[in-house]
């Protein structure tokens, strides 16, 4: 089916669509918006997995482009070629522990890459630019306090990852202020759900528990995160694209705070495994204690709300990993990196 250019059809460019949140976003948007076409730019780093997008191989409204967002010239020509209306920047180096080991790729992708996309959005006068940021830019809250992050909370990033995301947010702000680019920033709490790379807490613990391997809990396991299902985050990103006010920031969260130890206990209980698998290991340097989000602005102004309870979401997420042994095996043996089917090959 050729993509028509009737007025209700539109094309957006998203980045990072082979990753965890990006792939969930692309699949959900294409199935729920029959007139939408997505140009999906992804560099296929260790975190990018085309198996995540297997169900879209025959979908004409999905155009996969294997490229870095730092390639400004290519991003510009893609937007022109496909008559792109706006952009959603989801691509990033996303793992805190990796940023502690080496911060350089975080500057390249998260800062330089954002600057590249902003430049294109500015030059082509795109209708909207959404930056998918994170609650980690606000720093850390005290354990057992009542504090929450609002959009007015000063940025105080503590890890090289969050420093790179905060830096990107500052460029987004500056491009709105100086060049009038219609930007919107979303800052979401910790996501979980199917297809999350098992370097992050929940999938790592599920896969280790399934194989009765040790579950490495940093420090005393009492650090607190606010968990949201990836589908609820994707809905918020789209509402921010459609209805977010240029220049604004929207916090996204689920009022669902749990200690890491509670999460690990829940996973073990749902899988019927022993708590003897829990291994307390050396703490993460600079480990943020607690994140908590006030999402009332997004609820009020974007008419967004989370729909998936943690009880249901965690149960279904565990079930997804159990029912997809091939996906797990290909990640664990590295085979997922060879997956580049003919459907996605593209002459450059
Ligand atoms: P992920 O690591 O699973 O995926 C990142 C994707 O970006 C991968 O497909 C990777 O190949 C791609 N990528 C990396 N560098 C690129 C580059 N230079 N050019 C093009 N593509 C590149 O990350 P995720 O967990 O899906 O997070 C997506 C976004 O959401 C990130 O911006 C992250 O900061 C933000 N975020 C994540 C969470 C979370 O809990 N995972 C919460 C809030 C915000
Ligand atoms: O808050 C949003 C952020 O959430 C996103 O911006 C990041 O991209 C995403 O990675 C996530 O950051 P965290 O550092 O909170 O997520 P992570 O899954 O790495 O760790 C969650 C908590 O679990 C944290 O307190 C560290 C702890 N942890 C993590 C791992 C991987 C462990 O105790 N053991 C582990 O092996």
């Amino acid at each position: 089916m050729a993509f028509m250019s009737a007025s209700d059809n539109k094309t957006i460019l998203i980045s990072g669509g082979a990753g965890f949140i990006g792939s969930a976003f692309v699949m959900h948007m294409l199935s729920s918006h029959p007139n939408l076409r997505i140009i999906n730019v992804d560099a296929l780093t260790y975190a990018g997995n085309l198996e995540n997008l297997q169900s879209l191989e025959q979908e004409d409204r999905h155009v996969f482009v294997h490229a870095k967002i730092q390639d400004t010239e290519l991003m510009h020509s893609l937007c022109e070629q496909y008559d792109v209306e706006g952009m959603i920047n989801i691509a990033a180096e996303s793992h805190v522990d990796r940023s502690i080991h080496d911060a350089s790729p975080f500057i390249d992708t998260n800062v330089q890459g954002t600057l590249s996309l902003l430049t294109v959005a500015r030059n082509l006068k795109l209708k909207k630019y959404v930056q998918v940021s994170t609650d980690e830019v606000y720093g850390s809250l005290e354990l057992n306090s009542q504090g929450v992050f609002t959009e007015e909370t000063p940025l105080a990033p503590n890890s090289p990852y969050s420093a790179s995301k905060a830096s990107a947010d500052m460029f987004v702000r500056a491009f709105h202020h100086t060049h009038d680019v219609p930007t919107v920033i979303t800052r979401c709490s910790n996501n979980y759900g199917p297809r999350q790379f098992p370097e992050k807490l929940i999938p790592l613990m599920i896969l280790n528990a399934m194989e009765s391997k040790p579950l490495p809990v940093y420090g005393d396991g009492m650090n607190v995160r606010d968990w949201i299902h990836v589908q609820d985050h994707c809905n918020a990103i789209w509402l921010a694209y459609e209805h977010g006010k240029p220049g604004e920031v929207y916090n996204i969260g689920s009022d669902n705070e749990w200690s890491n130890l509670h999460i690990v206990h829940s996973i073990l209980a749902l899988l019927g495994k022993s708590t003897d698998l829990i291994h307390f290991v050396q703490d993460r340097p600079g480990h943020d204690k607690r994140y908590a989000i006030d999402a009332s602005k997004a609820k009020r102004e974007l008419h967004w709300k989370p729909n998936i309870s943690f009880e249901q979401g965690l149960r279904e997420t565990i079930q997804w990993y159990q029912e997809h042994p091939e996906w797990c095996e290909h990640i664990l043996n590295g085979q997922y990196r060879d997956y580049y089917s003919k459907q996605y090959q593209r002459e450059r």
Side-chain angles (χ1 to χ4, degrees), residues 94-97 133-136 161 188-191 196 199-202 204-205 216-218 223-225 227 260 284 287-288 291:
S94 68
H95 194 41
V96 173
D97 293 331
S133 186
T134 167
D135 63 354
E136 295 203 22
Y161 161 69
C188 188
S189 59
N190 285 62
N191 285 219
Q196 188 168 25
E199 62 184 354
K200 308 282 165 53
L201 180 76
I202 288 186
L204 178 70
M205 298 300 161
V217 173
Y218 298 164
N223 302 59
V224 168
R225 298 292 183 263
W227 294 94
N260 296 334
R284 171 186 279 176
H287 197 171
D288 284 340
Y291 306 142

Side-chain angles (χ1 to χ4, degrees), residues 182-255:
T183 62
V184 171
I185 297 176
T186 60
R187 295 190 181 133
C188 188
S189 59
N190 285 62
N191 285 219
Y192 71 97
R195 301 178 191 83
Q196 188 168 25
F197 196 82
E199 62 184 354
K200 308 282 165 53
L201 180 76
I202 288 186
L204 178 70
M205 298 300 161
I206 294 173
L207 292 195
N208 281 14
M210 276 164 53
E211 295 194 359
S212 298
K213 287 184 180 162
L215 272 50
V217 173
Y218 298 164
D220 60 6
M222 294 318 289
N223 302 59
V224 168
R225 298 292 183 263
D226 171 6
W227 294 94
I228 183 171
H229 194 277
V230 64
Q231 207 62 64
D232 283 327
H233 184 194
C234 291
N235 288 334
I237 293 171
W238 182 246
L239 289 171
Y241 180 83
E242 287 278 75
H243 306 297
K245 204 170 142 222
E248 293 294 318
V249 176
Y250 297 93
N251 283 352
I252 313 294
S254 243
D255 289 325

